[in-house]
Amino acid sequence: MIKRTLMGALLASASVSSAWAQLALEKDELTFGFIKLTDMAPLAVAYENGYFLDEGLFVTLEAQANWKVLLDGVISGTLDGAHMLAGQPLAATIGYGTQAHIITPFSMDLNGNGITVSNAVWEEMKPNIPTNADGLPQHPISASALKPVVDKYRSEGKPFNMGMVFPVSTHNYELRYWLAAGGLNPGYYSPENITGQIGADVLLSVTPPPQMPATLEAGTIYGYCVGEPWNQAAVFKGIGVPVITDYELWKNNPEKVFGITAEFAEQYPNTTKAVVKALIRAAIWLDENDNANRMEAVEMLSQPEYVGADAEVIANSMTGTFEYEKGDKREVPDFNVFFRYNATYPYYSDAVWYLTQMRRWGQIPEAKTDAWYDETAKSVYRPDIYMEAAKLVIEDGYATEDMFPAADEDGYKDPTPAADIIDGIPYDGTQPNAYLDSLPIGLKGDQTVVGTEVKG
């Protein structure tokens, strides 16, 4: 647990008093939750650099045991807000799992995940992967290289198990996307069977992020999808090989969000804007001057109260590189993006993508209209709050207008081109049902999962 004391606040910069004058805070003592992943960085930076204090906010940051505990904390009010999986506010709002109206006025980052397999599985995959002139594997690596391995395990009567962090996590949907793009069915959900393993070629189950490497080493799973530093940890331990990053899977895809209840935003509107202001400043700092501050951020995150992994492991991805096999370190400058490309703006199209994946795999059991996707996205993602906070950041002199989306932004990104996605299928957030129909594996139209079969 970390807490800025009142004495620390009084000794902070003189900007505090002016910030207090700008916004009449309805609540100034706040507790935020997070999971020990590098993409919680905006919270750590806003705390360590005094940006929360500049807004008159006395913040406590508390690491949480897992994503369910974190979500329950926000819903119950023991946490005022949290670093969340992007799917969590959406799932809660539509009543998948726990029912609660959670919103996000701030997107925390782009990219940041990877898919890792055990050394043994990697050796079996390698004959199926083309190589570059230098003998190193060509990237991105398709799951089609994994398919013969899965088929072999199944012929021997061995289920092929992989881990992801939560049923509505980006990691679940990214792992499913990668597998399906390579011809492997990751399985369906139904109202009666929430394992997500109906008809699956690969069996996916939940493992908390910090436990991924140990679970892989124990042989309980053969691979996993997780955020950093837990893919690079497998490389350092010599127990696994990351085969693809989510940047290669879907260039500049949305990752975590900052989540609060709708009630909190309504009851404490100025406090909400002040929090978003501090987080925007933190995101700018993380990306400014071509990531010049990243090593300082790595040192922050390596502290046990934040991520607690070795700085060397965290730096492997946070500083613009990514190591696959030991010694195969490649430049991936956008592996972690915190502000560039409007990363912090909560786009409706990002929300719609998550909803399409819930529908694709049966978490949303019945067909929905395009209008439903739009309305649901707009009830959860709140670019209006974001832009109000951004305007204040500009007025304070910490940013310029050209660093943010235009004031008349409609909340939808331009369609993602085919070249930026592993399966070559473009994504347009304004056409969710047409997008679902374009995907080779997954529910389409009025299809439903009945028992162990897809009907319709």
Side-chain angles (χ1 to χ4, degrees), residues 176-227:
R176 287 170 173 275
Y177 203 100
W178 181 68
L179 291 168
L184 289 164
N185 190 331
Y188 295 100
Y189 297 83
S190 75
E192 298 76 32
N193 184 341
I194 58 171
T195 64
Q197 298 179 354
I198 299 169
D201 297 323
V202 176
L203 304 180
L204 308 186
S205 59
V206 171
T207 303
Q211 296 174 25
M212 289 287 192
T215 309
L216 183 74
E217 190 171 18
T220 308
I221 54 176
Y222 299 123
Y224 56 72
C225 183
V226 74

Side-chain angles (χ1 to χ4, degrees), residues 371-408:
W372 179 89
Y373 286 95
D374 177 72
E375 290 162 8
T376 304
K378 288 176 177 176
S379 74
V380 176
Y381 278 47
R382 295 294 300 276
D384 56 322
I385 298 174
Y386 175 89
M387 290 302 288
E388 288 172 10
K391 183 180 178 183
L392 295 173
V393 173
I394 294 166
E395 289 176 2
D396 288 348
Y398 296 121
T400 55
E401 196 172 334
D402 61 351
M403 295 167 68
F404 298 94
D408 61 353

Side-chain angles (χ1 to χ4, degrees), residues 35 64 66-79 82-85 87-89 91-93 96-100 102 166 168 261:
I35 297 293
Q64 305 296 299
N66 56 55
W67 292 113
K68 184 182 186 306
V69 168
L70 178 144
L71 178 64
D72 289 346
V74 172
I75 293 170
S76 70
T78 57
L79 296 174
H83 160 237
M84 282 189 182
L85 300 160
Q88 283 188 291
T93 298
Y96 184 78
T98 306
Q99 173 78 57
I102 309 293
F166 201 66
V168 297
T261 63

